[in-house]
Amino acid sequence: MKLSVIGCGYLGAVHAAAMASLGHQVIGIDIDARRVAMLSAGEAPFFEPQLNELLRAGIVAGRLSFSTHIDEARGADVHFLAVGTPQRRDGSAADLREVETAVAELADVLQAGDVVVGKSTVPVGTAQRLATTVDGAGAALLWNPEFLREGWAVKDTISPDRIVVGVATDETGTPTDRAQVAADTLRGVYTDAVDNGVPFLVTDYATSELVKVAANAFLATKISFINAMAEIAEVTGADVMTLADALGHDERIGRRFLGAGVGFGGGCLPKDIRAFVARAEELGRGESVSFLRAVDEINLRRRDRAVYLVEEALGGSVFGKRITVLGAAFKPHSDDVRDSPALDVAARLHGLGATVVVTDPAAIDNARRVSPQLTYVAGRDEALRDADAVVLVTEWDEYRRQLSPEHLATLTPGRIVVDGRNCLDPAVWRAAGFHYYGMGRP
Ligand code: UGA
């Protein structure tokens, strides 16, 4: 099928390359000329495992191209909207300008019978509003939220857990005839996944939009739940890691996303829970999700806790101390520093007068743009040299698996390790003479 993808960021670039790998003819559109040039050359403009290979394969096969001109989307059967919906600068709601602009511009190139598929995360009620413009062009709008995780984006796009499709419904809640046809077209785009048994759930617009924000709200809540338990563990001498393991054995709870530490960041979870609260308040149901405010607060308190631990370890003040921060990305296998707990902790330590050296295998360029006041060193060992304290805040394998206490001891006389991700073995580090501090651990 002929597809267009409007917006080629973390979501759209991967979607375009993945759809081409399934055999579709894909044109990716983005207003950023530099990004389009890189993608056209088969270079991912951000770090995402397997993406370069997928881009190059699609381009070589003649099935994948990129352009800054939305006109080139004309003639595609299906147009995916994959633009950003960041947090508004003046509040906690989502900024929908990119989505609105994309739909307005797309309207001029739509042909009767086209299908427009929204993938961006939007506040509930957005699709219904945008449908008027799309319908006016004789096309049909579907809302098909994306659940990919950065770092696993290629796999998640090609083999998702589920495909959710919001469609236009009549007053009885039944999909309209046009919506039915459009949903079948989308099923055709995802035919490989559907044939492999991936659930294809057709629902109304509001439910599809809610599935996405509810999923992220649930994940954020799960992380903040265990971090709240970490806070209690800290005043009782309990160990949150053993607690999480024990809870996780209950299949109803499950161990995943019970990783206590400096908490969640990135371009999705933090802004999505805030936008959800803002939208619920607009709908007069703020109290239904008021717990998400606590989820956000617990999450941000963990960054304070990490800073406090470093201060405590260094005798009450970090002023004038040399501190190496391992990690800048919001999680490993990513170069994304949006709302990164790691970078936030580093910046706060710098603000308290420490000499902060940050290293990261992928995110240094992005981190330098956001926090230029910090010192960045690409090589891990060079960054660790002469550190008074080491703070691990992004659990890359280079730090969690490939750094032994014996090796660190050759790089610095400092013996303080603050493990903001609870990913090191305290017994090993203590036995080697280090003062180990975890999050929610004795
Ligand atoms: C998240 C969701 O997991 C995806 O399903 C969703 O599609 C995506 O947002 C989105 O809305 O686009 P992502 O932002 O890539 O994906 O990151 P996650 O893997 O969910 O991690 C989020 C943050 O939580 C990271 O900072 C991570 O370090 C932290 N985290 C995760 C914990 O602190 N503890 C855990 O146990 C798990």
Side-chain angles (χ1 to χ4, degrees):
M1 297 174 79
K2 287 186 77 179
L3 314 177
S4 84
V5 179
I6 318 297
C8 293
Y10 285 96
L11 167 57
V14 176
H15 195 70
M19 292 302 109
S21 80
L22 297 176
H24 300 299
Q25 188 71 38
V26 187
I27 172 101
I29 311 284
D30 200 287
I31 50 170
D32 183 336
R34 188 182 146 268
R35 184 178 294 176
V36 165
M38 285 187 78
L39 288 165
S40 302
E43 282 296 328
F46 47 84
F47 178 92
E48 184 62 48
Q50 298 179 41
L51 182 55
N52 279 329
E53 293 81 342
L54 214 62
L55 284 168
R56 284 169 204 164
I59 292 165
V60 168
R63 285 198 300 268
L64 180 62
S65 58
F66 295 91
S67 171
T68 50
H69 301 291
I70 201 155
D71 281 353
E72 296 198 33
R74 198 186 306 275
D77 311 300
V78 180
H79 307 269
F80 289 97
L81 294 172
V83 294
T85 52
Q87 184 173 337
R88 283 173 65 122
R89 285 186 190 281
D90 61 352
S92 56
D95 181 342
L96 295 176
R97 282 177 299 179
E98 285 184 35
V99 177
E100 276 154 9
T101 308
V103 171
E105 290 181 358
L106 191 59
D108 293 335
V109 304
L110 286 177
Q111 296 171 340
D114 283 3
V115 179
V116 178
V117 183
K119 295 202 72 68
S120 311
T121 302
V122 292
V124 56
T126 306
Q128 187 67 57
R129 195 155 45 77
L130 299 174
T132 319
T133 311
V134 175
D135 286 352
L141 179 68
L142 303 176
W143 214 266
N144 168 223
E146 179 57 58
F147 304 101
L148 69 80
R149 298 158 296 168
E150 286 177 27
W152 304 92
V154 170
K155 181 196 155 287
D156 286 352
T157 303
I158 293 174
S159 335
D161 300 339
R162 74 292 209 190
I163 297 168
V164 177
V165 187
V167 305
T169 45
D170 62 21
E171 7 2 289
T172 68
T174 314
T176 62
D177 290 345
R178 190 193 271 181
Q180 204 63 264
V181 173
D184 287 343
T185 303
L186 188 62
R187 200 191 301 263
V189 173
Y190 295 136
T191 189
D192 287 17
V194 175
D195 288 351
N196 281 329
V198 174
F200 188 87
L201 308 171
V202 178
T203 181
D204 52 86
Y205 286 144
T207 306
S208 68
E209 293 164 320
L210 262 181
V211 173
K212 173 61 199 248
V213 284
N216 277 0
F218 191 88
L219 293 171
T221 303
K222 205 169 172 193
I223 298 168
S224 277
F225 175 83
I226 201 65
N227 278 330
M229 296 306 106
E231 292 187 335
I232 304 298
E234 276 151 14
V235 292
T236 53
D239 186 343
V240 77
M241 292 296 282
T242 311
L243 174 71
D245 289 343
L247 290 174
H249 285 300
D250 184 330
E251 283 181 9
R252 295 169 303 173
I253 298 173
R255 181 64 176 82
R256 296 175 75 189
F257 274 69
L258 286 182
V262 285
F264 59 81
C268 304
L269 264 44
K271 66 112 174 148
D272 285 355
I273 59 169
R274 291 169 200 155
F276 196 6
V277 171
R279 182 66 183 133
E281 281 170 354
E282 280 170 15
L283 294 165
R285 283 288 180 278
E287 70 274 25
S288 302
V289 292
S290 61
F291 67 94
L292 290 176
R293 287 189 193 282
V295 166
D296 203 1
E297 284 161 17
I298 294 164
N299 191 53
L300 295 176
R301 278 207 299 273
R302 299 319 283 163
R303 303 177 185 187
D304 301 340
R305 173 71 185 176
V307 171
Y308 167 80
L309 282 177
V310 184
E311 286 182 302
E312 193 187 57
L314 288 167
S317 169
V318 298
F319 191 84
K321 302 289 186 182
R322 187 176 171 88
I323 299 173
T324 300
V325 173
L326 296 177
F330 82 107
K331 67 172 187 180
H333 313 291
S334 172
D335 65 354
D336 195 345
V337 298
R338 288 177 292 172
D339 211 337
S340 167
L343 204 52
D344 193 12
V345 167
R348 290 194 206 187
L349 291 168
H350 172 86
L352 292 168
T355 300
V356 177
V357 178
V358 180
T359 186
D360 188 287
I364 287 184
D365 288 348
N366 286 342
R368 191 180 276 120
R369 271 191 285 275
V370 175
S371 299
Q373 75 278 24
L374 304 175
T375 302
Y376 296 95
V377 173
R380 182 198 70 183
D381 286 3
E382 196 194 333
L384 286 166
R385 215 168 284 285
D386 297 325
D388 295 308
V390 176
V391 189
L392 194 168
V393 266
T394 313
E395 68 277 32
W396 289 96
D397 278 351
E398 284 85 337
Y399 315 142
R400 69 186 302 184
R401 292 189 205 282
Q402 294 155 18
L403 178 64
S404 68
E406 293 71 27
H407 183 62
L408 180 57
T410 66
L411 300 171
T412 172
R415 289 292 177 270
I416 292 168
V417 172
V418 175
D419 180 3
R421 292 290 180 183
N422 287 344
C423 61
L424 302 175
D425 184 342
V428 170
W429 285 80
R430 286 184 180 134
F434 279 84
H435 299 282
Y436 171 95
Y437 297 79
M439 306 283 294
R441 318 185 77 178

